[in-house]
Amino acid sequence: MFSDPEKNIEELGLMPGMHVADIGAGSGFYSLSAAKAVGNNGKVYAIDVQKDLLSRIKNEAQRQHIKNLEVIWGNAEEQGGTKLRESSVDAAIVANLLFQIKNKEGLVKEIKRILKPKGRVLLVDWQDSFAGMGPQSGDVVLPDSSKELFEKGGLIFERRMGAGAQHYGFIFSKP
């Protein structure tokens, strides 16, 4: 079974009123689930470099009458690339993204910059390449490597979580 965004969002423990950044929002499944979890007083920023995907997310949010989701065209690999203020979000979501990122250290640095103290990160990524279903095998970022990447970036590993048969999931926090 594929990774279930709603179940993974539940693991992150989002509460009404929180502000969340979905980094590399892609299809928007995580953004939309997070927007429902944080409620009308919360805010979700769907950030991606692909404008066409952001348009789809915006249209889907309107279709579902979700008013607390904002799309942002930005590159999270660069300092300030999310266009969010420092220490402005309670949580960040990084789902199925690491294998596409060239500047992985830059990504972690930007996530740490926008997180509030004690803010949390949900990382979900591919365990392996599954015969064309996931990324190319050379692009897969294995669990130990991603854990090390986020810890070297100054985030604290909290726990591993189930994220589906093809995926792994970690939760990190900012000191």
Side-chain angles (χ1 to χ4, degrees), residues 83-102:
K83 302 179 178 143
L84 296 175
R85 287 187 334 274
E86 192 168 314
S87 302
S88 62
V89 296
D90 301 289
I93 300 165
V94 183
N96 299 320
L97 183 69
L98 283 183
F99 70 93
Q100 302 175 61
I101 297 292
K102 294 196 182 354

Side-chain angles (χ1 to χ4, degrees), residues 64-108:
Q64 292 187 33
H65 307 289
I66 293 172
K67 296 180 180 1
N68 62 345
L69 191 150
E70 182 181 329
V71 298
I72 297 174
W73 179 61
N75 182 352
E77 294 178 60
E78 300 168 359
Q79 185 80 12
T82 61
K83 302 179 178 143
L84 296 175
R85 287 187 334 274
E86 192 168 314
S87 302
S88 62
V89 296
D90 301 289
I93 300 165
V94 183
N96 299 320
L97 183 69
L98 283 183
F99 70 93
Q100 302 175 61
I101 297 292
K102 294 196 182 354
N103 182 5
K104 292 172 180 44
E105 292 80 11
L107 171 72
V108 175

Side-chain angles (χ1 to χ4, degrees), residues 3-149:
S3 191
D4 179 351
E6 285 183 17
K7 182 177 174 289
N8 294 341
I9 291 286
E10 211 173 280
E11 290 269 352
L12 185 56
L14 296 181
M15 305 299 285
M18 284 184 161
H19 288 218
V20 180
D22 184 4
I23 312 286
S27 62
F29 291 126
Y30 279 89
S31 296
L32 296 164
S33 291
K36 292 171 188 168
V38 299
N40 292 334
N41 293 327
K43 185 84 168 177
V44 173
Y45 304 97
I47 302 160
D48 208 292
V49 293
Q50 297 183 57
K51 288 182 178 177
D52 60 323
L53 293 176
L54 292 173
S55 294
R56 280 192 231 157
I57 294 169
K58 191 174 187 173
N59 291 339
E60 185 57 26
Q62 288 172 341
R63 193 186 73 71
Q64 292 187 33
H65 307 289
I66 293 172
K67 296 180 180 1
N68 62 345
L69 191 150
E70 182 181 329
V71 298
I72 297 174
W73 179 61
N75 182 352
E77 294 178 60
E78 300 168 359
Q79 185 80 12
T82 61
K83 302 179 178 143
L84 296 175
R85 287 187 334 274
E86 192 168 314
S87 302
S88 62
V89 296
D90 301 289
I93 300 165
V94 183
N96 299 320
L97 183 69
L98 283 183
F99 70 93
Q100 302 175 61
I101 297 292
K102 294 196 182 354
N103 182 5
K104 292 172 180 44
E105 292 80 11
L107 171 72
V108 175
K109 194 173 184 179
E110 178 64 359
I111 290 167
K112 187 177 180 201
R113 185 188 73 77
I114 64 172
L115 275 177
K116 293 177 182 175
K118 307 285 182 233
R120 300 172 87 205
V121 180
L122 169 65
L123 171 67
V124 175
D125 222 301
W126 291 89
Q127 294 264 23
D128 202 343
S129 180
F130 294 92
M133 219 169 39
Q136 300 290 324
S137 61
D139 295 334
V140 173
V141 180
L142 296 172
D144 288 347
S145 298
S146 67
K147 183 175 180 276
E148 184 179 312
L149 172 73

